[in-house]
C-alpha cells in the first residue's frame, strides 16, 4: 500500500493550500497585487529590452488579448477546446470514481487494475496522444480521449486510496445497525472518502487541461492549440502569448474555484471528529 | 512488507495484462496493437539500432541537464521561500500557478525562444520539474523545528553552516520533491520532444507512427515507461534510506 | 445498604434464570492467538452485566461476537431464544471510539440507525429528539461531533443505540475516552437509564470500581485464552446518594475482593 502514491500528495501543496490561502488573507491582497504588478513589470521590461525578437511586452500581449476577444477568434477557439475538455473530465470523473471505488472495495479488482494506473500515473502517457489521433482522427473523440488518458489515472488512484482508507469503525457501526452492503457504500464509504475523491477530481481537471492543449498542439488543428500554432507561424507573438496566458489563467481560475468549492462543501474543519 | 504485500502481486497482474495484450494482438482485435511478443522482439531489435542509441543519448542528455538545472535552481529558491517571508509572498502565487498549469501550452514559446533543438527540450524539462521541487523544498524548510536552528546559532554556526544544516534537515522533503520532479521531468522531455518532433525520441515516434511501424512504436513506449518507472523506483529507494536516517536522527 | 450482601454465583448457570442472551461454547482464535475458549454465559433480562478482565483477555471479542460483528470459530449465541450470527434489531452497539459520522449533525447521527432501516424522516427525528433529551443533550441537535466533548460524543452514541429500541445494549468500554468527571455523571445516567428503560445492558470495562458501581452482575474473565473465572452479583442499593455508594463499606469490600481475585493475573 505504501507505494501507492499519487501526485496529489505533493499537489496538496502545489495548488494554493489552505494554510497559504490564510497567510495571504492575513497579509491583505496587497502583497498579491504587488506580486502581480511585479510580474507584469518584469515582463514589460524584458519585452522592451527585448530579450528576444519573439518576446512581446506585457502591454502588447494584453492588447492582443483584448483584440482577440473582440474579434471573436479567442471565444471561438475556447468553444472548441472546452467541449472535449468538459466531456473528457466528466467521463473520467464517472469512470475514475467508479473504477477507484471498485478497486477499493474489491480485492481482485484492486490487484488487476491498480498497477496499471500506477504505471500510467508515473509514465509519460502523452506519448499515446499521437496514436489516439491516428486511430480516432482529429475530431472531438481524439481530444476527449487525450483528456481522459491524462485525467483518469489520478482520479482512479485518489478514489481508490480514499476508499481503502475509510474509517473501519464507521463500517462496523453501519453493519451493527443493520446497514446493507449498499448502504455501507453509499452512506459511509463514499461520504467518508469524498474529500479525497474531490481532490483527485481537481487534479484530474488540471491533467485534463494539459491533455487537451497537447492534443491540439500535436495534431488536431482546432481550438486553443491551433490558435497558438497559427499565431506562431504568422509571427504574431503578442497574440500567441496572449492565448497561452489565457489558457494558463483559465486553468488556474478553474482550479482555485474547485478548491474553494472543496473547502466549502467538505468543510475539512468539521472532519476533526 | 512492501515486497510481499504489494510489489509481487503488482508484477503478477501486469503479467496478466501482457498475456491479454498478446491475445488481443494475435486476434487483431484492436487497431494498431501488435502482439506483445512482437513488440518485445521489436524492442530487442530497436535497442541495437544506431538511431535509437543516438536518440537515447540525446534524450538522456537533455533530461539530465534539465533536471540538474531545475534542482540547482529549485532547491535554493525553495529554501529562500521557506526562510524569507517576503520572497515567499511574492513568488508563492506564481510557483503554485505554474506547478499545476498546463505547461504544455508553454512549449511553443520555448520553441521560438530556444529554437527547434536540444535547448528547448532542456528548457521543457526544467519548466516541468522545477515547481514541485521548489514547493516541496519550501515545505521541508518550513517544517524544520526552530529549536534545531536555535541550537545551531547558539553554538555559533556561521550563516553558511546554518544553511547547510537547513539543507540536511529538509532533505527528506527535498528528495520527495525531486522524485516528483523527475516524474514530471520525464513527462516534460517526452512532451517537448513530441512537440519539437525532430529531436530524440520525438523524432523516432514521429517516424514510427508516420510509417505505421506499430511494433516499434509500442517498443519505444514500453522502453520509455520502463525508464520512467525505474527512475521513480530508484528515488523511492533513496528516499526510504533518507527517511530511515531522518527517523533515527530524532 | 447495611443488609447488602455480596453473592457469588457458580459459573455453571442455574437453568431457571430468565436470560435474554445465551452464549454457548464460544471459542475464537486469531491465527495462533487463542482469544476465547468455550465460553458459556447467560445474561439476565433487564439487568446490567459487566465483562471485566485483564487487557487482551477477549472482552471486546466476546462482545462483538454477541453483536454479530465477529464470527466465532465454534459455539453459538442466542438472543430471545433464537440463534443469531449476524447483527439484528434486538441488539445495539455503543462503540469505544464513538463511531459517529463526522459529516452529520447530532440529530442525524442519533437517527442513523433508523435511517438505515428506512424510517421516514419525521418519525426518526422525533424518536431521535426524544433520546437526545434522554441522554441530556437537548439543544445540541444541530451541532457536529467535532463541536462536542468526548463525554457528549459518547452520549450521542448511546442515544443512537437507544433510539433503535433494541432489547440488548452492548457497550464496549464506553467511558474509556471520557474524562473522569463526565464519567461519574455518565455512570449515574446509565444506572438511571437502566431502571427507566427496562433494557438489558452488556458492558465491557477495565475498571473494577465502575463495574461494581453500576453492575447487577460482573463476569470476570481470565487472561488469554479468555474463560469465565467468576461471576459476582454485587447487590448494591443504588437508590441512595451516589456519593455515598462510593464510600460505602460493602462497595469498597466488593472492589477489594475482585481486585484480590484479579491481582494474580497482573504480573
Ligand atoms: N483482529 C485481530 N487480529 C488478531 N488478533 C486479535 C484481533 N483482535 C484481537 N486480537 C487478539 O485477541 C485477544 C483478545 O482481544 P480483545 O480485543 O478481545 O481483548 P480485550 O479484552 O477487549 O482487550 P482490551 O481490554 O485491551 O480492550 C488479544 O490478545 C488481541 O491481541
Ligand atoms: Mg477491548
Amino acid at each position: 500500500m505504501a507505494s501507492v502514491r499519487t501526485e496529489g500528495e505533493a499537489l496538496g501543496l502545489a495548488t494554493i493550500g489552505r494554510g497559504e490561502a490564510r497567510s495571504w488573507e492575513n497579509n491583505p491582497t496587497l502583497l498579491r497585487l504587488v506580486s502581480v504588478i511585479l510580474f507584469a513589470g518584469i515582463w514589460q521590461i524584458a519585452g522592451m529590452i527585448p530579450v528576444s525578437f519573439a518576446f512581446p511586452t506585457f502591454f502588447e500581449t494584453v492588447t492582443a488579448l483584448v483584440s482577440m476577444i473582440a474579434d471573436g477568434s479567442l471565444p471561438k477557439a475556447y468553444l472548441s477546446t472546452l467541449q472535449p475538455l468538459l466531456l473528457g473530465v466528466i467521463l473520467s470523473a464517472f469512470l475514475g470514481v467508479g473504477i477507484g471505488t471498485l478497486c477499493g472495495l474489491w480485492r481482485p479488482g484492486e490487484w488487476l487494475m491498480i498497477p496499471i494506473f500506477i504505471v500510467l500515473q508515473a509514465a509519460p502517457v502523452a506519448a499515446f496522444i499521437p496514436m489516439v489521433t491516428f486511430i480516432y482522427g482529429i475530431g472531438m473523440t481524439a481530444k476527449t480521449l487525450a483528456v481522459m488518458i491524462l485525467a483518469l489515472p489520478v482520479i482512479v488512484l485518489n478514489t481508490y486510496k480514499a476508499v481503502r482508507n475509510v474509517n473501519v469503525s464507521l463500517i462496523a457501526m453501519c453493519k451493527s445497525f443493520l446497514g446493507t452492503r449498499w448502504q455501507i457504500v453509499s452512506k459511509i464509504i463514499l461520504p467518508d472518502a469524498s474529500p479525497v475523491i474531490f481532490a483527485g477530481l481537481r487534479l484530474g481537471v488540471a491533467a485534463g487541461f494539459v491533455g487537451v492543449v497537447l492534443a491540439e498542439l500535436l495534431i488536431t488543428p482546432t481550438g486553443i492549440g491551433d490558435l497558438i500554432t497559427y499565431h506562431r507561424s504568422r509571427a504574431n507573438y503578442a497574440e500567441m502569448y496572449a492565448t497561452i496566458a489565457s489558457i494558463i489563467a483559465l486553468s488556474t481560475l478553474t482550479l482555485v474555484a474547485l478548491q474553494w468549492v472543496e473547502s466549502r462543501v467538505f468543510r475539512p474543519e468539521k472532519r476533526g471528529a | 512488507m512492501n515486497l510481499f504485500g504489494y510489489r509481487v502481486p503488482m508484477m503478477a497482474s501486469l503479467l496478466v495484462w501482457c498475456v491479454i495484450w498478446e491475445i488481443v494482438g494475435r486476434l487483431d482485435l484492436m487497431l494498431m496493437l501488435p502482439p506483445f511478443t512482437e513488440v518485445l522482439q521489436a524492442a530487442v531489435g530497436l535497442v541495437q539500432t544506431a538511431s535509437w542509441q543516438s536518440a537515447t543519448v540525446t534524450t538522456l542528455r537533455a533530461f539530465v541537464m534539465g533536471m540538474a538545472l531545475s534542482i540547482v535552481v529549485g532547491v535554493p529558491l525553495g529554501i529562500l521561500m521557506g526562510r524569507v517571508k517576503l520572497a515567499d509572498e511574492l513568488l508563492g502565487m506564481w510557483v503554485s500557478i505554474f506547478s499545476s498549469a498546463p505547461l504544455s501550452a508553454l512549449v511553443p514559446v520555448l520553441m521560438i525562444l530556444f529554437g527547434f533543438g536540444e535547448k528547448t527540450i532542456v528548457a521543457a524539462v526544467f519548466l516541468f520539474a522545477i515547481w514541485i521541487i521548489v514547493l516541496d523544498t519550501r515545505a521541508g524548510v518550513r517544517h524544520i523545528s526552530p529549536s534545531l536552528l536555535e541550537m545551531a546559532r547558539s553554538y555559533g554556526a556561521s550563516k553558511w553552516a546554518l544553511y547547510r544544516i537547513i539543507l540536511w534537515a529538509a532533505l527528506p522533503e527535498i528528495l520527495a520533491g525531486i522524485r516528483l520532479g523527475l516524474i514530471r521531468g520525464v513527462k516534460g522531455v517526452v512532451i517537448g520532444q513530441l512537440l519539437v518532433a525532430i529531436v530524440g525520441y520525438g523524432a523516432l515516434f514521429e517516424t514510427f507512427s508516420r510509417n505505421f511501424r506499430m511494433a516499434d512504436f509500442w517498443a519505444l513506449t514500453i522502453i520509455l515507461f520502463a525508464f520512467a518507472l525505474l527512475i521513480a523506483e530508484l528515488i523511492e529507494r533513496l528516499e526510504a534510506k533518507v527517511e530511515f536516517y531522518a527517523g533515527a536522527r530524532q | 445498604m447495611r443488609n447488602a450482601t455480596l453473592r457469588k454465583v457458580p459459573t455453571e448457570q442455574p437453568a431457571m434464570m430468565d436470560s435474554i442472551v445465551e452464549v454457548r461454547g464460544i471459542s475464537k482464535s486469531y491465527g495462533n492467538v487463542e482469544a476465547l475458549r468455550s465460553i458459556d454465559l447467560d445474561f439476565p433480562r433487564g439487568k446490567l452485566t459487566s465483562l471485566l478482565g485483564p487487557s487482551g483477555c477477549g472482552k471486546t471479542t466476546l462482545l462483538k461476537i454477541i453483536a454479530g460483528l465477529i464470527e466465532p470459530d465454534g459455539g453459538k449465541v442466542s438472543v430471545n431464544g433464537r440463534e443469531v450470527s449476524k447483527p439484528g434489531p434486538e441488539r445495539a452497539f455503543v462503540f469505544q471510539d464513538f463511531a459517529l459520522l463526522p459529516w452529520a449533525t447530532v440529530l442525524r447521527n442519533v437517527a442513523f440507525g433508523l435511517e438505515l432501516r428506512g424510517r421516514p424522516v419525521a418519525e426518526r427525528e422525533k424518536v431521535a429528539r426524544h433520546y437526545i433529551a434522554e441522554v441530556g443533550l437537548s439543544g445540541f441537535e444541530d451541532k457536529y461531533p467535532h463541536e462536542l466533548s468526548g463525554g457528549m460524543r459518547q452520549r450521542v452514541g448511546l442515544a443512537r443505540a437507544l433510539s433503535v429500541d433494541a432489547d440488548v445494549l452492548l457497550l464496549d468500554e464506553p467511558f474509556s475516552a471520557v474524562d473522569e468527571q463526565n464519567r461519574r455523571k455518565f455512570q449515574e445516567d446509565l444506572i438511571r437509564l437502566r431502571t427507566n428503560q427496562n433494557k438489558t445492558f452488556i458492558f465491557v470495562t477495565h475498571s473494577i470500581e465502575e463495574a461494581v458501581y453500576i453492575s447487577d452482575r460482573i463476569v470476570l474473565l481470565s487472561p488469554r485464552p479468555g474463560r469465565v473465572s467468576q461471576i459476582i452479583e454485587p447487590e448494591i442499593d443504588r437508590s441512595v446518594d451516589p456519593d455515598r455508594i462510593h464510600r460505602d463499606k460493602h462497595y469498597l469490600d466488593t472492589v477489594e475482593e475482585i481486585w484480590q481475585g484479579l491481582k494474580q493475573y497482573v504480573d
Side-chain angles (χ1 to χ4, degrees), chain B residues 57-192:
Chain B
V57 170
T58 318
T59 307
L60 271 180
R61 198 167 51 207
F63 179 71
V64 170
M65 276 161 63
M67 280 313 300
L69 209 58
S70 61
I71 293 171
V72 168
V73 178
V75 172
L77 195 58
I79 292 179
L80 181 74
M81 283 171 64
R83 298 285 299 162
V84 183
K85 204 162 177 351
L86 187 70
D88 190 38
E89 246 132 43
L90 290 182
L91 296 174
M93 187 169 93
W94 298 104
V95 174
S96 289
I97 288 177
F98 282 114
S99 71
S100 52
L103 293 174
S104 41
L106 275 173
V107 176
V109 174
L110 302 180
M111 272 147 73
I112 51 173
L113 290 181
F114 297 105
F116 285 76
E118 206 176 325
K119 264 198 278 179
T120 300
I121 311 297
V122 174
V125 174
F126 175 78
L127 194 64
F128 272 70
I130 185 170
W131 312 111
I132 196 75
I133 298 178
V134 174
L135 281 172
D136 274 17
T137 305
R138 171 187 172 279
V141 173
R142 280 284 165 94
H143 282 159
I144 298 175
S145 80
S147 62
L148 180 69
L149 299 181
E150 272 157 24
M151 182 275 288
R153 263 195 224 106
S154 72
Y155 280 98
S158 65
K159 206 155 179 77
W160 193 75
L162 194 69
Y163 272 93
R164 222 174 44 175
I165 292 172
I166 290 173
L167 192 66
W168 279 105
L171 197 57
E173 284 90 350
I174 294 176
L175 275 178
I178 291 178
R179 179 174 60 88
L180 292 167
L182 282 165
I183 293 175
R184 290 179 169 211
V186 174
K187 294 179 179 175
V189 82
V190 170
I191 288 175

Side-chain angles (χ1 to χ4, degrees), chain C residues 60 96 172-173:
Chain C
T60 299
Q96 185 171 2
D172 186 9
E173 298 191 38

Side-chain angles (χ1 to χ4, degrees), chain A residues 153-171:
Chain A
V154 67
I155 297 178
V156 169
L157 288 181
N158 262 57
T159 307
Y160 159 77
K161 269 204 322 188
V163 170
R164 276 309 297 268
N165 294 333
V166 150
N167 187 340
V168 282
S169 127
L170 289 183
I171 293 179

Side-chain angles (χ1 to χ4, degrees), chain C residues 55-56 58-61 96 172-173 204 206:
Chain C
S55 188
K59 304 180 293 290
T60 299
T61 306
Q96 185 171 2
D172 186 9
E173 298 191 38
V204 168
H206 261 128

Side-chain angles (χ1 to χ4, degrees), chain A residues 5 10 35 111-112 121 232, chain B residues 13 17 90 94 179-180 187:
Chain A
R5 299 215 197 169
S35 174
W111 182 80
L112 202 60
Q121 157 124 341
R232 191 187 71 195
Chain B
S13 93
W17 285 104
L90 290 182
W94 298 104
R179 179 174 60 88
L180 292 167
K187 294 179 179 175

